[in-house]
Amino acid sequence: MPGKWNNSAAGLSRSHVLPASGAETHSPGDFYGLHAPVLVLNASYEPINVCAARRAIILVLKGVAMTEEENGHFLHAARLAMRLPSVIRLLEYRRIPHQTRALSRKNILLRDRNTCQYCGEFMASGELTLDHVVPRSRGGASSWENLVACCHSCNRRKGNQLPIEARMVLRREPRAFNLHTSRHIMRLMGRSDDKWRKYLFY
Ligand SMILES: [Zn+2]
């Protein structure tokens, strides 16, 4: 169902009247539409996550969350036009355990800000892989402390070696990704988004 959505009117400002469907063309705004980051607040207004607009819309349509701020772009589907959210809030309070987040590729890339931890290059998620600092073949665990974002060329170069053997240096000591880390990242992301600011800087 969400696959049917398209965002042909992205780029319109809120003051514009909606154009007749089909009158617009797809633009770079498409990226900005469904993939734009949306700040997710708990029912208590506490910021808890960042998700893509597409997921946020599903949460709103399911009645799980409501839109607190809009991003000024529209989503068109059939005869429905919907304003895309910039901030949503869950209608029911969710207890967020103050422990580390789930260990996943997505969260490791988020923690490392899509930056190869050896050469420091920023890349799209699809171009990064995960590197075991201490290789698995040498007893390295799949843990927050032993996994880092890594580009393919650094990964090949390192192979089955320890960083020191490959003469490579980690940019940062890998640590568990806790709520504090995620708040910090939300703040960094929110710096460019005025609408996030009031929820993040309290
Ligand atoms: Zn690299």
Side-chain angles (χ1 to χ4, degrees), residues 115-121 123 128 149-155 168:
T115 304
C116 170
Q117 292 302 293
Y118 295 104
C119 68
E121 201 160 326
M123 291 178 190
L128 286 162
C150 182
C151 73
H152 289 286
S153 93
C154 287
N155 196 241
M168 294 164 87

Side-chain angles (χ1 to χ4, degrees), residues 1-7 34 54 58 75-77:
M1 218 186 44
K4 282 188 191 164
W5 297 101
N6 67 71
N7 181 39
L34 289 181
R54 180 193 170 110
I58 293 168
L75 171 77
H76 272 276

Side-chain angles (χ1 to χ4, degrees), residues 148-162:
V148 291
C150 182
C151 73
H152 289 286
S153 93
C154 287
N155 196 241
R156 270 193 302 273
R157 187 178 145 205
K158 183 167 170 285
N160 257 344
Q161 307 170 90
L162 295 171

Side-chain angles (χ1 to χ4, degrees), residues 6-11 25-36 73 84:
N6 67 71
N7 181 39
S8 48
T25 53
H26 285 260
S27 66
D30 285 354
F31 173 80
Y32 241 72
L34 289 181
H35 300 276
H73 292 197
L84 289 175

